[in-house]
Amino acid sequence: MTLPPTRWELAGEDNRGYGRHFADSVARGVDVDGEARFLDAMAARASRILDIGSGMGRVAAALRARGHDVVATEPDAALREQSRATYPDLEVLPHEALALDPAEVGTFDLVAVVGNVMVYVGEDTERPVLERVRDLLAPDGRAAVGFHLTAIKAGSRTYPAEEFVADAEAAGLRVVHRFGSYELHEPSDEYAVWVLARA
């Protein structure tokens, strides 16, 4: 199956600042574990967690360090290379969300789609991506999705909260919680963190 190009791919070199930013933050000892703490709090010990769009590996590595069984997946070759250099013990699959087959990778207690992944998927693939997330969930599994609601990053899209909820519901998911940050701030118009479950 030929997948449409993601917005991340189309942005090309304009999005290389992401990897540089987090490499610098890790090198300076800055706390970059906000998403991982949120995800860890959602999960029972030794949960099976899928990190879709794992980037340079910081969230997946932090979850592994907390004792979870983590599968990381990142289609961007440069970010996979950065991940290998920063976290050499973390295996990263080269798949984007729509290339993940539940028959091959199994299902998960928690699926993480954080770090603006949803605003970089291919045009008109939001619902298929969310359907794939649904299919990758264990029966009682949950998904965590976080993104900027307006297009402030190179190549990203504006994704209003109402449209995301409609897409999630059409994909067979329901909203369990909505927060304004990974520190559980109240919902805002800038950033949204969603907890989803099968409908």
Side-chain angles (χ1 to χ4, degrees), residues 134-158:
R134 177 204 64 206
D135 293 342
L136 289 161
L137 290 176
D140 294 327
R142 292 180 292 170
V145 183
F147 57 89
H148 282 98
L149 296 169
T150 55
I152 65 169
K153 304 287 187 179
S156 68
R157 64 160 292 191
T158 292

Side-chain angles (χ1 to χ4, degrees), residues 10 21 40 71 84 95 130 168:
L10 293 174
H21 167 74
D40 180 56
V71 174
R84 280 191 291 270
H95 302 69
L130 289 166

Side-chain angles (χ1 to χ4, degrees), residues 28-29 39 84 90 100 120 142 145 163 181:
R28 291 187 293 116
L39 296 164
R84 280 191 291 270
L90 177 67
L100 291 166
Y120 280 109
R142 292 180 292 170
V145 183
E163 184 180 346
S181 73

Side-chain angles (χ1 to χ4, degrees), residues 101-152:
D101 184 349
E104 295 177 2
V105 299
T107 57
F108 297 84
D109 303 305
L110 180 59
V111 175
V113 195
V114 297
N116 285 309
V117 170
M118 282 304 301
V119 293
Y120 280 109
V121 300
E123 187 174 356
D124 297 326
T125 67
E126 290 84 358
R127 287 189 183 185
V129 166
L130 289 166
E131 289 169 356
R132 187 58 49 89
V133 168
R134 177 204 64 206
D135 293 342
L136 289 161
L137 290 176
D140 294 327
R142 292 180 292 170
V145 183
F147 57 89
H148 282 98
L149 296 169
T150 55
I152 65 169

